[in-house]
Amino acid sequence: MDYVLTLLSFGSEGWGDQILQGMALTVALALATLPLGLVQGFLLALAKHSSDPNLNRAADIYTTIFRGLPELMTLFLVYYGVQIGLQSLIGLFHEGFYLEINSFVAGMVALGVVFSSYASEVFLSAFKGIPQGQYEGGHALGLSSYQTMRLIIFPQLIRLALPGLSNLWLVLLKDTALVSVIGLSDLLRMSGIAARVSKEPFLFYGLACALYLALSLISSAGLVRIEAWARRGEAKR
């Protein structure tokens, strides 16, 4: 028991500092990816909801590709493919140029495009749940299309999309574990290093499982409160 407590302690003899830093990086990556994925997903939903067939087609192609590819493949494409492509392109003008994409940025972009592909469908379903009369009412009040979207449609859209987006957040939180394969020192990678060095894989991988579960439970509790706040007006009707 003392040996286990020593391994989990903070300081030079234990791995507590590294595990905590890995968990912080995992949360930071998920939080950094969330707004990127939400904005992209909303724009994709607007394109799919648009009457322009070219926008519809482009958005459909985007979501089909990134919903069809495994998340790990998307991560490799961004981290290695984009890096090689940019390096080759810039190398045409600057010989000997070398480019290395930051692992955190690569993970954020890769997870963001996957998240946005699924979020776009959630937003699109929410768009379809808003009656056409809401748009007509905004125009009847003299509001512009932008004002109608911002003041009337968007608040309802968020309320309708929130349950689906909440599930996607939990998926995103777990998918951050994929970035360990490109060298980012997240929770899973630091747990793996500790397990190999200490030769205690059950201890550290079990700890990683417990921490991921704790993050999910905390997120779920927070999301329940957010959904209750978003629906506070319905209870009064």
Side-chain angles (χ1 to χ4, degrees), residues 30-49:
L31 291 175
T33 303
L34 182 63
L36 175 66
L38 287 175
V39 171
Q40 288 180 337
F42 179 69
L43 293 177
L44 286 168
L46 282 178
K48 290 186 175 185
H49 194 60

Side-chain angles (χ1 to χ4, degrees), residues 31 34 38 115 158-159 161-173 215-231:
L31 291 175
L34 182 63
L38 287 175
F115 183 94
I158 293 300
R159 179 174 56 80
L162 198 53
L165 295 177
S166 298
N167 290 331
L168 290 180
W169 161 255
L170 295 176
V171 173
L172 171 63
L173 195 60
L215 290 174
S216 296
L217 291 174
I218 293 171
S219 296
S220 296
L223 291 169
V224 167
R225 294 180 68 88
I226 292 174
E227 288 185 31
W229 175 82
R231 296 180 180 277

Side-chain angles (χ1 to χ4, degrees), residues 133-193:
Q134 299 287 324
Y135 297 89
E136 296 171 353
H139 295 316
L141 292 172
L143 301 177
S144 66
S145 297
Y146 171 75
Q147 290 174 321
T148 299
M149 175 61 68
R150 182 172 65 87
L151 299 175
I152 299 177
I153 304 302
F154 190 73
Q156 299 179 71
L157 185 76
I158 293 300
R159 179 174 56 80
L160 293 173
L162 198 53
L165 295 177
S166 298
N167 290 331
L168 290 180
W169 161 255
L170 295 176
V171 173
L172 171 63
L173 195 60
K174 292 180 290 184
D175 281 348
T176 56
L178 296 173
V179 301
S180 61
V181 302
I182 58 173
L184 198 62
S185 299
D186 70 321
L187 175 57
L188 182 61
R189 180 174 174 81
M190 297 311 298
S191 299
I193 294 173

